Amino acid sequence: MTTSNTSPGDVDPAVREELARLRDSIDNIDAAVVHMLAERFKCTQQVGHLKAQHQLPPADPAREARQIARLRTLAENAKLDPAFAEKFLNFIIGEVIRHHEQIADGALTSNGT
């Protein structure tokens, strides 16, 4: 096991190469996650506008509960900690509701335009 006293020059070149390969994969996955979240938020913005136009509440607790249960199952199947997945989704849901509230406030101040 490598200790914190090991300088980068002391690390086997094969280990450095494997570390670089893995980090490149992580960077690619991070980019994909960001792009997927951007697409998700584009859809939720449309939902927010639809809700505002029809005076529907920004939050939908029944839908949120179904989504959390669904995500927990997906996480378990993917061997990801379901509690982590739930925390992640709750963070996203909170942001979506905040956006929906902003959209609704804007729709109210602009008389529904």
Side-chain angles (χ1 to χ4, degrees), residues 4-81:
S4 60
N5 295 332
T6 303
S7 69
D10 296 339
V11 177
D12 181 326
V15 171
R16 279 198 305 265
E17 186 177 312
E18 179 68 2
L19 185 58
R21 184 189 68 75
L22 290 167
R23 287 178 173 165
D24 284 346
S25 291
I26 290 167
D27 292 348
N28 289 337
I29 294 166
D30 287 346
V33 167
V34 167
H35 287 285
M36 293 300 295
L37 284 172
E39 284 301 311
R40 188 185 197 287
F41 278 103
K42 285 178 189 174
C43 290
T44 61
Q45 289 290 330
Q46 292 174 1
V47 168
H49 286 287
L50 190 59
K51 285 181 171 184
Q53 290 168 359
H54 297 279
Q55 293 81 43
L56 297 169
D60 184 345
R63 161 90 174 144
E64 294 159 22
R66 288 190 308 273
Q67 285 297 94
I68 289 169
R70 179 178 164 271
L71 192 73
R72 286 186 69 92
T73 299
L74 289 170
E76 287 171 7
N77 292 339
K79 308 294 187 240
L80 179 68
D81 178 5

